[in-house]
Amino acid sequence: MSAFKEGFALIIGVGNDLPTTATDAKAIADTLLNPEKAGYPAEQVILLTEQQATKEGILDGLAQLSELIEESEVDNKDATLFVYYSGHGWKRTSDDAYFFQPYDADFDDIDGTFVAAAEVLESIDELATKKQIVILDACYAGNAKFGVLDIRAATATIAHDLDMGSGRILLASSTKDQKSYIGRDYSVFTEVLIEALNGAATHKNIPFVTFANLWQHLSVEVPQRAAALGSTIQQVPVINVSDLTPTRICRHAFVGVPDVPKVFLISSGSDKDAEYLEGLQDMLKAWANQGVIQQWDATKMLAGSFISNQLEKNLKDAEIVVGLISVDYLNDDDDLDRRNSPTYRPDIKKAMVQTRTAIEQGKAFIPFVVRYCPFQHYPEFKGRNPIPKKRKGSKEVKPVSAWPDKDAVYDLVVEQIITLSEALRKEA
């Protein structure tokens, strides 16, 4: 399996009077570095335990992490930053400041020897990465915040939003008033976190673990396992987020087809069809972020490259092709009149030409009718079950333009794409 080259990590386990915290950190590092699972490159993971986890060591680790990211060839928008801390957490009652207690902490010199959570989060915020997740396994960890939004509820909507782009996420092992407890081999929280990083809540056919997967497992399992330690024990993880946008945490050693099906969208390029292409793209993006499919259309073409080469390559690689059918689509053909036009571009393959190529190559083709047009009279679409239908069980097509709730229609076509995708996985 290839490495998760986008991953950068700083892992801290203070140890000292809490030896389990060092064990926690080593286990997290082992999980991230496992080439058969999370797949972080060894040179991009910094592990600090025991005497290495002093205040100076932690701050130097952040600086070293910054250098690694800056010197890397990974694009900042793709890089995922993973920072983990396991150790004591301490809140000063006079000003509610929250601190991490490093290996060399001295209670006679709080400001000089403890690490202020605000300082750490500010340093992380200044790093170049667009995707950042900070995980704190410490008592009263809910006091540490990015300062934008404190979320206490484990809802599907929150998890979905967090997986829809880049952003900063702080995951705390307990609320601001709760302790974090130690289990048998690891802390309660870290034990569940390791399971989640290993794919406990990730579908076997999805190649990446996302934040939604982590939260789904942690939000349910941590309170239950903490309660099993004693009837009065409560430990509830919380999340604090900023600039929501998709966050893959690591690679997943999934069972299934390693090359996920690619979906190729064909559109006329007409301004009238642009809104329908954009709507379908948005709906597909959520699935693409989960690693279930890949999606490509002409808007993804690289600047400076020969257009037809990109079209031909991506169409050849695709298993599923969706044509956004309209009158402009039907008229977008490579006929003789167009060849004689002064604006003719031989490097741009027309929608109907791409359609015929896809059919000739044996692609699974879905005619997705976006505007009223006489598509049924074109041989390319005979027997191809165009959608959306006017009603369930009907053979009559009702174009997207005629539907008040267009998102529901985009969901229909994605449902058919996913069904085809799953069938392709089984065939492979």
Side-chain angles (χ1 to χ4, degrees):
M1 296 179 71
S2 60
F4 184 67
K5 64 180 181 179
E6 304 96 324
F8 297 82
L10 173 61
I11 303 167
I12 304 163
V14 177
N16 210 341
D17 64 325
L18 284 178
T20 301
T21 61
T23 304
D24 286 348
K26 292 174 184 175
I28 292 294
D30 287 344
T31 300
L32 293 185
L33 290 169
N34 189 329
E36 299 301 319
K37 294 184 179 179
Y40 275 54
E43 64 275 13
Q44 293 174 191
V45 176
I46 302 170
L47 173 63
L48 305 175
T49 60
E50 301 286 355
Q51 291 91 339
Q52 298 170 315
T54 61
K55 178 174 183 177
E56 182 180 2
I58 292 172
L59 297 180
D60 284 349
L62 286 168
Q64 185 182 348
L65 193 64
S66 178
E67 291 177 6
L68 285 174
I69 294 168
E70 290 177 1
E71 295 172 0
S72 169
E73 295 180 357
V74 177
D75 194 309
N76 289 342
K77 67 179 177 62
D78 297 322
T80 295
L81 175 66
F82 183 103
V83 177
Y84 169 89
Y85 170 86
S86 182
H88 283 297
W90 184 77
K91 179 181 177 181
R92 185 163 57 194
T93 56
S94 61
D95 58 2
D96 289 337
Y98 186 69
F99 296 87
F100 306 130
Q101 185 177 324
Y103 187 86
D104 58 345
D106 182 353
F107 274 92
D108 291 329
D109 184 12
I110 301 295
D111 290 314
T113 63
F114 278 59
V115 181
E119 180 180 1
V120 172
L121 296 181
E122 183 177 348
S123 296
I124 291 171
D125 188 35
E126 292 173 353
L127 296 177
T129 56
K130 299 297 183 183
K131 304 174 185 179
Q132 303 174 349
I133 177 165
V134 180
I135 302 179
L136 307 178
D137 191 354
C139 292
Y140 320 115
N143 284 284
K145 298 178 182 179
F146 275 121
V148 178
L149 178 64
D150 185 18
I151 302 176
R152 298 292 179 84
T155 67
T157 300
I158 291 169
H160 172 75
D161 290 344
L162 288 170
D163 278 340
M164 286 304 295
S166 60
R168 296 175 295 167
I169 307 167
L170 190 150
L171 177 52
S173 60
S174 58
T175 70
K176 65 179 182 177
D177 302 314
Q178 292 176 338
K179 293 181 179 180
S180 293
Y181 292 90
I182 295 174
R184 184 175 60 181
D185 298 319
Y186 309 108
S187 74
V188 171
F189 176 84
T190 295
E191 178 182 62
V192 180
L193 175 61
I194 292 170
E195 293 171 359
L197 289 172
N198 280 312
T202 305
H203 191 276
K204 65 180 182 179
N205 283 341
I206 295 178
F208 293 98
V209 175
T210 69
F211 178 79
N213 304 140
L214 292 191
W215 185 239
Q216 179 183 351
H217 195 56
L218 288 161
S219 62
V220 174
E221 290 295 324
V222 172
Q224 291 181 357
R225 297 189 196 184
L229 299 176
S231 59
T232 61
I233 292 179
Q234 291 186 331
Q235 182 180 342
V236 180
V238 295
I239 53 178
N240 169 258
V241 298
S242 171
D243 304 330
L244 296 187
T245 64
T247 306
R248 292 173 175 175
I249 306 301
C250 63
R251 204 187 55 209
H252 176 220
F254 68 109
V255 179
V257 183
D259 295 321
V260 297
K262 177 179 283 188
V263 179
F264 186 97
L265 305 184
I266 302 177
S267 180
S268 70
S270 164
D271 290 342
K272 295 178 181 179
D273 292 342
E275 66 172 289
Y276 307 111
L277 175 62
E278 184 177 346
L280 184 55
Q281 286 173 326
D282 288 343
M283 191 64 72
L284 283 167
K285 184 178 179 182
W287 290 96
N289 288 334
Q290 292 293 316
V292 175
I293 59 172
Q294 300 177 61
Q295 183 260 312
W296 196 92
D297 58 76
T299 64
K300 299 183 184 297
M301 288 190 290
L302 301 174
S305 60
F306 199 55
I307 294 174
S308 64
N309 290 344
Q310 291 188 59
L311 287 172
E312 289 171 5
K313 179 183 182 303
N314 283 280
L315 181 55
K316 184 178 180 180
D317 291 343
E319 291 91 349
I320 302 169
V321 177
V322 181
L324 280 70
I325 313 300
S326 68
V327 66
D328 289 302
Y329 187 107
L330 300 178
N331 291 333
D332 193 26
D333 207 342
D334 197 5
D335 56 30
L336 291 177
D337 290 338
R338 288 180 180 271
R339 287 178 181 270
N340 295 327
S341 169
T343 60
Y344 176 71
R345 290 282 303 277
D347 57 326
I348 300 179
K349 300 299 182 184
K350 304 302 179 182
M352 288 298 291
V353 175
Q354 293 178 54
T355 299
R356 287 190 286 271
T357 300
I359 293 171
E360 289 168 3
Q361 292 178 356
K363 308 298 184 184
F365 186 85
I366 302 175
F368 183 47
V369 184
V370 297
R371 291 160 50 208
Y372 283 105
C373 60
F375 71 91
Q376 62 270 29
H377 299 294
Y378 283 67
E380 291 85 353
F381 309 117
K382 295 288 185 181
R384 299 209 173 265
N385 192 26
I387 58 173
K389 304 299 186 186
K390 190 170 185 178
R391 65 181 65 86
K392 188 174 182 179
S394 171
K395 293 184 178 181
E396 186 178 352
V397 172
K398 182 179 179 179
V400 181
S401 60
W403 290 78
D405 184 0
K406 293 177 174 51
D407 282 342
V409 186
Y410 299 135
D411 192 55
L412 281 174
V413 72
V414 172
E415 182 179 325
Q416 186 158 338
I417 289 171
I418 297 304
T419 300
L420 277 172
S421 170
E422 291 174 347
L424 289 169
R425 288 179 184 272
K426 290 179 181 178
E427 290 175 6

